[in-house]
């Protein structure tokens, strides 16, 4: 496969600045960088973004994430490796990423579980992180960016 064009965020520097600034907000609010990489990886798996599936585990590893947790992200419900807060974040990630899979894309039970683990600012930051990785996934997929070209 060949990329169709450069990533739009690289083609339009103002877009890159905006997405980069948005991407910094969740960590600035206090969400764990390791949690954010789990979220990034799970959304990217769902969306089939090869660039992010290749890159985000690299970032997570640099942050000290373990192989067993990274390998288990797609099966987080069935493994003992994640905390209740991480499970709530991953469930919210799946719901927000798969908005067309059900009539109520983010059911109250998923939202309510997230509110048990994250305060208002942290939950807002988590939703922003999920939205931001979905933007990156869509930019990469639409323009057929090549996995491995981005080496974080």
């Amino acid at each position: 496969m060949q990329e169709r064009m450069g990533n739009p965020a690289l083609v339009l520097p103002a877009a890159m600045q905006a997405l980069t600034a948005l991407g910094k907000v969740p960590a600035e609010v206090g969400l764990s960088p390791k949690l954010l990489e789990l979220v990034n990886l799970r959304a990217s798996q769902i969306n089939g973004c090869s660039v992010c599936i290749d890159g985000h585990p690299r970032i997570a590893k640099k942050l000290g994430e373990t192989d067993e947790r990274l390998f288990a992200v797609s099966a987080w419900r069935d493994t003992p490796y994640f905390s209740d807060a991480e499970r709530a974040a991953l469930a919210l990630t799946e719901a927000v990423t798969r908005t067309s899979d059900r009539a109520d894309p983010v059911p109250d039970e998923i939202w309510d579980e997230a509110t048990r683990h994250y305060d208002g600012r942290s939950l807002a930051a988590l939703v922003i992180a999920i939205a931001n990785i979905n933007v990156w996934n869509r930019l990469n997929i639409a323009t057929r960016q090549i996995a491995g070209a981005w080496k974080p």
Side-chain angles (χ1 to χ4, degrees):
M1 182 172 14
Q2 185 173 347
E3 74 179 24
R4 290 179 167 147
M5 64 178 289
N7 187 297
L10 296 173
V11 173
L12 303 172
M16 178 59 94
Q17 290 172 340
L19 290 171
T20 300
L22 187 62
K24 291 178 181 178
V25 170
E28 290 170 356
V29 169
L31 290 181
S32 159
K34 284 169 65 171
L35 171 68
L36 294 171
E37 291 308 319
L38 295 175
V39 165
N40 289 340
L41 179 55
R42 185 64 191 125
S44 300
Q45 289 170 335
I46 292 165
N47 289 324
C49 180
S50 62
V51 171
C52 292
I53 292 168
D54 180 67
H56 286 286
R58 294 174 196 276
I59 297 169
K61 292 282 289 181
K62 288 177 185 176
L63 294 170
E65 190 55 83
T66 66
D67 285 338
E68 78 183 352
R69 283 169 44 95
L70 291 172
F71 297 153
V73 167
S74 65
W76 62 268
R77 286 178 182 83
D78 303 317
T79 62
Y81 309 129
F82 303 99
S83 70
D84 289 344
E86 289 168 332
R87 290 174 187 284
L90 291 167
L92 186 61
T93 299
E94 289 183 0
V96 172
T97 300
R98 292 180 165 145
T99 57
S100 66
D101 284 1
R102 54 182 144 208
D104 183 6
V106 182
D108 288 341
E109 65 194 41
I110 290 174
W111 185 261
D112 292 346
E113 184 63 17
T115 66
R116 282 192 265 290
H117 300 282
Y118 301 96
D119 65 19
R121 287 178 50 80
S122 295
L123 187 54
L126 182 57
V127 172
I128 285 172
I130 296 165
N132 196 39
I133 191 59
N134 274 279
V135 168
W136 282 108
N137 290 166
R138 283 152 177 75
L139 294 174
N140 289 330
I141 292 165
T143 58
R144 291 188 180 156
Q145 298 303 298
I146 306 301
W150 173 54
K151 296 283 188 198

